[in-house]
Amino acid sequence: MNFTRWSARLPGTQRRAARDDRSPVPAARAEYAQADTGSGPPDSGPDGPGTRPAAPALEDLSARDILGQLPALVALVHGPDHRIAYVNDAYTAAFGPRPCGAPAAEAMPELTELSLLPLMDQVLRSGTPRTVKSRKAGSGNSYTVTCTPVRRDEDKGHESGVLVYAADVTDHAEAAERLRTSESRHRETAVTLQRSLLPQELEQPDDLRIAATYQPGGTDAAVGGDWYDVITLGAGRTALVIGDVMGRGVRAAAVMGQLRTAVRAYARLDLPPHEVLQLLDGLAAEIDASQIATCAYAVHDPNEGLLVYSSAGHLPILVRDEDGMVHRAEGPTGPPLGTGGWIHTSGTIALPPGSTAVLYTDGLVERRSEDIDEGVAALERALSGAKGAPQVVCDRLMRALNITAEHDDDVAVLVVQHPARTGATAELFHNASLDLLGGIEAAPRARAFATGVLTSWRFPTELCDLGVLAAGELVANSLQHGTPPMRLGLRRTDRRLIIEVTDGDDHLPRRRRAEPGDEAGRGISIVASIATSWGSRRTPGGGKAVWCEFSLPQ
């Protein structure tokens, strides 16, 4: 905006002819020089031509008058016991009059409240000024105080002293406290939301022992979107999930909660890990296109002793053997969730009895001063020597990688152990299987096999009868609707009996209501009625598995 042109329109102003009346630069400088030296035009002084009021010289000013008019609090003390020499009016108004000559420790209790006496001793000894910020006095006001040394005047016999200069910063301190309180409240809200969205109690499968730890970032770091989960899939299989939503605060925690809920829903479909991540990838883009997340989803099958996993931009799973050797999951890793356009794949890593798997987020291994691969290598070294129960391993890994309450990022760790059972405990875990060739003799043979196995496992008669009935119905269903090869599997744990039938057809059965005149269609309904739970899934080879479970009496 042209202020010269615009100001000409205001009352009492006159537009200047910028080009015609422009003065030469030397003349303008001379005019400013005259103004600085007092040799201005004749009418520059208020008392008449050629006069101008002179500024007072510094030696004409009284230090007492200057200090007395300051709004800040000023006190002057002398000697090693800080005897009071002077306090200004502002100091007197704040703390009351102070007697001259009295020691500060006795007559100035406010200095003790502000913890200034040791500081004044140090200033007097060192001759160096010191400042402390936002100290609160007993009155509730906050002060920023500067203590400046005053040198002795040997000619007059004066002792050295300290000039105390205190500025009232109560308003600033209260505003800062309100800001800290607000930030703390927001942080508590985010942490509470984050923790409420995590599993309140981890599911404990029959064949695994699992523990997890979540550590929010320090007070200077906003809460992130780290999460973990354990989902029992049935037939002894377990899904393990670890993920991290990029971003901070309540929004990241809310997105994390939606993704965790979606993972549990997709897991119930009993899909392969890469298909679960494929579905989750599309959902993440729909939830918030600006948010991306990493995730690792793994499924443990006790019959195979493997972890089948898929990773969307997440750090590799680590597995420690019983002898202390650590293996890193080297399978393919896709891009993070929410990026779209990628076909995820699954990989496998062995998890035999006696081994321990660790799933974690980047807060555990990432440091600003080093490459993340160095952090993963440090975690491998820590895991190789970490023994004990899963929760003990969690704690040892956190300590080994220096994760404290002031860590600058969220950390989530999930430790999974496949215990090696011996002695009486091993007697509670058994497997038995039978290959079925088909034909009319397959169903009677399956029932006879189930009867012998369940009897040898010393189950109660009622449970044996229910197990034989369920095995017969599942085999009959497979014979009618499936294709070879067929296999009957029986498995017992310390808590349940699992019956599973696999075949080469990938059409999954569904429970339906049979009409009174129907001669078939009741097998799955019978199994669902007598068993604790049942389900089906497609197998990697192109077939399917149909299973049911019975809870064992305690």
Side-chain angles (χ1 to χ4, degrees), residues 169-442:
V169 294
T170 303
D171 292 341
H172 295 81
E174 291 178 351
E177 182 62 28
R178 288 194 297 269
L179 179 59
R180 285 192 294 268
T181 301
S182 176
E183 291 177 347
S184 176
R185 188 180 300 113
H186 285 298
R187 174 178 169 76
E188 285 183 14
T189 300
V191 171
T192 302
L193 175 62
Q194 172 84 343
R195 291 193 181 277
S196 67
L197 294 174
L198 292 173
Q200 302 305 302
E201 185 175 353
L202 287 177
E203 300 180 24
Q204 293 292 338
D206 298 353
D207 295 272
L208 300 176
R209 296 293 176 265
I210 302 177
T213 295
Y214 171 71
Q215 173 72 53
T219 54
D220 294 335
V223 176
D226 295 18
W227 93 91
Y228 55 83
D229 209 348
V230 179
I231 309 166
T232 54
L233 303 177
R237 301 166 69 250
T238 305
L240 309 168
V241 191
I242 191 83
D244 184 4
V245 176
M246 304 303 171
R248 301 288 183 186
V250 175
R251 179 58 185 166
V255 172
M256 177 274 287
Q258 297 177 76
L259 292 179
R260 177 176 174 257
T261 301
V263 169
R264 294 191 71 88
Y266 295 147
R268 298 305 178 192
L269 301 176
D270 217 338
L271 299 172
H274 64 276
E275 293 188 22
V276 172
L277 291 190
Q278 205 72 49
L279 293 172
L280 203 61
D281 184 27
L283 179 65
E286 295 177 8
I287 292 174
D288 190 340
S290 64
Q291 293 273 12
I292 61 173
T294 65
C295 181
Y297 181 89
V299 175
H300 174 254
D301 190 335
N303 295 319
E304 300 177 358
L306 294 174
L307 273 181
V308 182
Y309 67 91
S310 185
S311 176
H314 205 78
L315 293 167
I317 300 171
L318 302 181
V319 175
R320 176 188 182 276
D321 289 341
E322 194 171 10
D323 58 1
M325 181 70 66
V326 176
H327 305 275
R328 184 185 300 190
E330 301 290 354
T333 299
L337 303 174
T339 56
W342 183 267
I343 303 299
H344 292 274
T345 57
S346 294
T348 61
I349 186 170
L351 189 67
S355 60
T356 301
V358 177
L359 294 80
Y360 52 96
T361 57
D362 58 359
L364 182 65
V365 296
E366 189 173 26
R367 302 291 183 273
R368 295 177 182 175
S369 59
E370 62 184 28
D371 188 80
I372 195 169
D373 287 336
E374 297 179 13
V376 176
L379 177 60
E380 290 179 336
R381 292 191 296 270
L383 179 59
S384 65
K387 298 180 180 180
Q391 189 60 57
V392 174
V393 174
C394 274
D395 297 340
R396 288 181 175 176
L397 294 181
M398 297 283 279
R399 288 196 301 269
L401 277 81
N402 299 318
I403 305 300
T404 65
E406 298 304 320
H407 191 58
D408 60 357
D409 196 4
D410 288 20
V411 177
V413 182
L414 185 66
V415 174
V416 182
Q417 287 185 347
H418 186 187
R421 295 180 172 87
T422 58
T425 304
E427 292 300 319
L428 301 177
F429 291 81
H430 289 288
N431 287 284
S433 60
L434 175 67
D435 292 326
L436 301 173
L437 302 177
I440 58 175
E441 74 282 356

